Amino acid sequence: MKNVVLLGSTGSIGTSTLKVADDLPDRLRILGLAAGNNSELLLQQTLKYKPAAISVTDPAKAGELQSALGTAVEVHAGNDGLLKLATHPDADIVLIAIVGTAGLQPALAAIRAGKDIAIASKEILVMAGETVMSEARKHGVNVLAVDSEHSAIFQCLDGKPGASVRKLWLTASGGPFRDRAKWPKESFADITVEKALKHPSWVMGRKITIDSATLFNKGLEMIEARWLFDIEMARVDVVVHPQSVVHSMVEFVDGSMIAQLSTPDMCLPIQYALLYPERAKSDRVQTSLAKYGSLTFEEPDLDRFPALGLARRAGEVGGTLPAVLNAANEVAVEAFCQRKISFPQISALVKRVMDAHHVTAHPTLEQIIAADAWARAEAGR
Ligand code: MG
């Protein structure tokens, strides 16, 4: 039985994680749940899964939850609450699925407390990949990716050393504007929030759906892969694969390519991360390749989607630049969703902020957080 702490339980990854827990009641116990503001759903989840501790952002809501639940459950609040849950003495693995940068401190706290972590929040490895992975090595804990692409690469690598790898290939669905004939570059200025929120193959939260439309999501994943698998940026590449059946691939030095395939369902990488290194029977995912008929691949269009080039640059330069890219993109996506800037201005804004940044190499956590704050202010100017 593994004791699971789930940070971000009411979001899309969080609710999928609870489905996996439903499937495997003899293997997984939900020990802790943390949510942002959706305290109503957190209350329902608490009544169903009976965790030992929960946490919610707002202290007033924590008070309400404590009186509703009585003393059977510890109720915490705010960033302190996330840290308490992440370091809970009974936790075996902490799954972090909090949107934004709030997951960074809990991730490091969990690692330092000797817990395995499963990461769904991209910001953690994008901003602080160097620190997180070196701390994980120091404390002998596993850092497992919940993202379908990184889970695929992890499964394909199967413990092979970096020296045996020619390239890691991340697959990208290409997003709703992949088709160049339908969406030529000139039409990008007319892309609305509604159109950008229609993703062809995955149902996800708003920020990540816009990131999938700009391909910033894939750019962030390139940087994550660079740290997670300790491989230089030049050996991380992207191929567009609209069906989202091949979740990613490893090309080995002998030319052999190994891929992991399934119909898209986040429950699969979540289950793999939570049970690693074991696998458990699940009927949730069934894949009929014959029904797909054909799987197609194409080169990404770097001209219409400058996010990939910006991410490659951030990953190559390293230091504080990936944190700056990430923060500027968050501000830009929010501005796009509020209809303050156009779709092409998202990447233009990120580029402007990256160009203005003075990079600090091998930054401390404080320097990373300061670069993040600087980029947000710069992007808002
Ligand atoms: Mg992904």
Side-chain angles (χ1 to χ4, degrees):
M1 185 70 95
K2 264 194 190 177
N3 285 329
V4 179
V5 166
L6 172 55
L7 306 183
S9 67
T10 57
S12 140
I13 295 288
T15 50
S16 293
T17 302
L18 293 175
K19 280 191 213 163
V20 172
D22 290 340
D23 291 349
L24 302 163
D26 304 332
R27 307 292 298 271
L28 301 172
R29 177 187 168 221
I30 299 297
L31 178 78
L33 292 170
N37 294 310
N38 193 348
S39 61
E40 243 162 75
L41 181 54
L42 178 63
L43 176 61
Q44 287 171 28
Q45 291 175 340
T46 304
L47 294 171
K48 179 171 175 189
Y49 295 95
K50 304 190 168 48
I54 63 171
S55 185
V56 69
T57 303
D58 179 5
K61 281 189 177 165
E64 286 167 24
L65 283 167
Q66 188 76 78
S67 25
L69 290 161
T71 52
V73 184
E74 285 172 39
V75 184
H76 301 287
N79 286 334
D80 267 5
L82 293 176
L83 294 177
K84 283 228 167 64
L85 259 64
T87 57
H88 193 290
D90 297 334
D92 296 310
I93 185 162
V94 180
L95 192 150
I96 304 157
I98 309 172
V99 183
T101 53
L104 188 50
Q105 302 274 15
L108 283 169
I111 290 170
R112 288 169 185 154
K115 317 290 183 190
D116 285 346
I117 62 169
I119 299 184
S121 313
K122 297 209 157 63
E123 293 78 9
I124 295 169
L125 287 172
V126 169
M127 293 176 72
E130 196 176 5
T131 310
V132 166
M133 295 311 289
S134 81
E135 285 290 305
R137 278 189 288 270
K138 199 163 101 191
H139 293 274
V141 304
N142 290 309
V143 177
L144 297 146
V146 166
D147 224 344
S148 59
E149 293 80 357
H150 303 88
S151 178
I153 289 173
F154 189 69
Q155 294 180 54
C156 296
L157 274 174
D158 197 26
K160 302 281 185 310
S164 64
V165 174
R166 187 186 286 167
K167 249 182 187 183
L168 303 181
W169 285 100
L170 293 164
T171 52
S173 74
F177 312 117
R178 175 183 60 84
D179 189 338
R180 194 195 315 232
K182 237 169 112 186
W183 294 98
K185 200 178 178 189
E186 311 79 70
S187 70
F188 271 31
D190 305 323
I191 290 171
T192 59
V193 180
E194 290 71 24
K195 281 175 190 154
L197 284 175
K198 272 201 192 121
H199 193 272
S201 39
W202 294 96
V203 179
M204 307 171 291
R206 186 177 77 158
K207 162 73 168 43
I208 189 173
T209 305
I210 301 291
D211 282 348
S212 299
T214 57
L215 295 200
F216 263 109
N217 182 55
K218 207 53 53 184
L220 296 172
E221 287 177 357
M222 289 167 73
I223 301 171
E224 274 189 285
R226 182 254 175 277
W227 290 115
L228 196 54
F229 304 111
D230 192 19
I231 196 161
E232 66 275 25
M233 206 64 191
R235 288 197 285 156
V236 179
D237 219 330
V238 172
V239 64
V240 174
H241 166 52
Q243 296 81 17
S244 303
V245 171
V246 174
H247 296 306
S248 277
M249 298 168 273
V250 176
E251 181 181 350
F252 289 96
V253 284
D254 58 3
S256 206
M257 292 178 96
I258 308 236
Q260 185 254 338
L261 291 76
S262 78
T263 53
D265 187 325
M266 281 312 293
C267 288
L268 193 53
I270 291 168
Q271 173 173 324
Y272 186 80
L274 292 180
L275 292 184
Y276 176 81
E278 290 170 36
R279 287 187 189 264
K281 186 182 178 309
S282 169
D283 296 327
R284 195 175 282 282
V285 178
Q286 318 263 0
T287 307
S288 165
L289 289 176
K291 263 192 197 147
Y292 282 97
S294 61
L295 300 177
T296 60
F297 300 89
E298 55 194 79
E299 286 218 26
D301 184 341
L302 299 178
D303 183 38
R304 285 189 307 147
F305 301 102
L308 291 177
L310 292 172
R312 181 172 295 287
R313 180 177 135 204
E316 265 163 11
V317 173
T320 45
L321 198 57
V324 165
L325 169 136
N326 174 67
N329 179 50
E330 268 189 47
V331 173
V333 169
E334 192 50 41
F336 172 69
C337 288
Q338 291 178 8
R339 296 164 216 275
K340 288 179 184 158
I341 63 171
S342 71
F343 188 80
Q345 282 175 317
I346 298 175
S347 47
L349 177 56
V350 173
K351 181 177 185 300
R352 173 175 72 75
V353 176
M354 283 173 71
D355 288 346
H357 182 61
H358 299 286
V359 177
T360 305
H362 310 295
T364 62
L365 197 56
E366 290 69 30
Q367 287 170 321
I368 291 168
I369 290 165
D372 172 275
W374 172 85
R376 281 168 207 279
E378 180 67 25
R381 282 205 304 130

